[in-house]
Amino acid sequence: MVSRTRVDQIGRSLAALGLLAMGVSALVAPRHGLSLDQAAPRLYEANLSRQLLQREITLHQRSEAETLLMDFTRAQMTRHYWGEFAGSLQDLGLSARPQLVATVDRDAVRTRLWIQPHHGTEAYLAEVERWGGRLRMRHCRGDRDGVRLVHEDRCPDGWQRIHLN
C-alpha cells in the first residue's frame, strides 16, 4: 500500500511539473503556431498606426494653419491702418506652405483668409472687419464642407471659434 501511494504521488508530481513547464514556456517563448486570432491584432495595429499618423498630420497642419491665420490677421490690421485691406497673401508678405490651399477674399468692410489643407477634414478661417470705427477679428476651425458658408458676426455653422495668441 505504501508503494502504491508513493507511485501516485510521483505521478501527480510529474504531471504538475509538466503542466508547470508548459505554462512557463508559453509565457516566455513567442507563439509561432497558426492561430486565427493572430490576424486581428496585426490588423488592429496597422489601423491604429494609420490613425496615429493621420492625427499627427492633422496636428502639424493645424499648427501651420493657425500660425498663418494669426500672421494674416496682424498683417491685415496693420495694412488697414495704412489704407485698406490687402487682396492677397503676397501683398502682406506672407505665403502658405505647399500642403495648404489659402484663398483671400475682401470687400470694403472685411477680409477673410480661407485655408484648406490638401489632407484631412479640417478647414480654417480668419476674418478681420471694420465694426463701428474699430477693427475686430475672428478665427474659426471646422469641417471642410462648411467652407465659404459664413454668417455675419460668427463662424460658419458647425465650426468652432478658436482663440489664438
Side-chain angles (χ1 to χ4, degrees), residues 13-154:
S13 296
L14 286 174
L17 186 60
L19 289 173
L20 180 66
M22 286 184 353
V24 169
S25 70
L27 289 174
V28 175
R31 294 182 353 186
H32 294 292
L34 273 176
S35 174
L36 294 176
D37 66 341
Q38 284 182 348
R42 287 188 189 139
L43 180 60
Y44 173 76
E45 289 171 6
N47 193 21
L48 179 62
S49 220
R50 193 174 308 116
Q51 288 175 343
L52 290 174
L53 179 61
Q54 183 60 43
R55 178 73 176 152
E56 184 177 338
I57 289 169
T58 299
L59 290 175
H60 181 69
Q61 288 178 159
R62 183 180 292 171
S63 174
E64 288 183 356
E66 289 177 352
T67 298
L68 184 57
L69 292 175
M70 199 63 220
D71 291 346
F72 170 82
T73 303
R74 289 178 179 151
Q76 285 289 29
M77 292 175 86
T78 301
R79 179 71 183 252
H80 177 266
Y81 286 118
W82 287 102
E84 64 182 5
F85 293 125
S88 70
L89 287 177
Q90 291 79 18
D91 292 344
L92 296 169
L94 300 173
S95 62
R97 302 268 184 173
Q99 64 269 24
L100 303 175
V101 177
T103 307
V104 176
D105 296 331
R106 78 174 176 154
D107 58 29
V109 181
R110 76 184 48 83
T111 182
R112 293 183 180 117
L113 171 64
W114 294 97
I115 300 175
Q116 288 184 285
H118 289 291
H119 302 286
T121 60
E122 290 185 336
Y124 308 88
L125 166 68
E127 183 176 59
V128 180
E129 68 180 327
R130 277 190 232 127
W131 181 259
R134 300 181 69 182
L135 290 177
R136 66 180 180 182
M137 64 181 172
R138 176 176 31 263
H139 302 106
C140 306
R141 174 178 58 231
D143 190 47
R144 293 174 73 116
D145 296 335
V147 171
R148 311 245 190 239
L149 302 174
V150 175
H151 303 286
E152 291 294 319
D153 199 29
R154 61 186 169 105

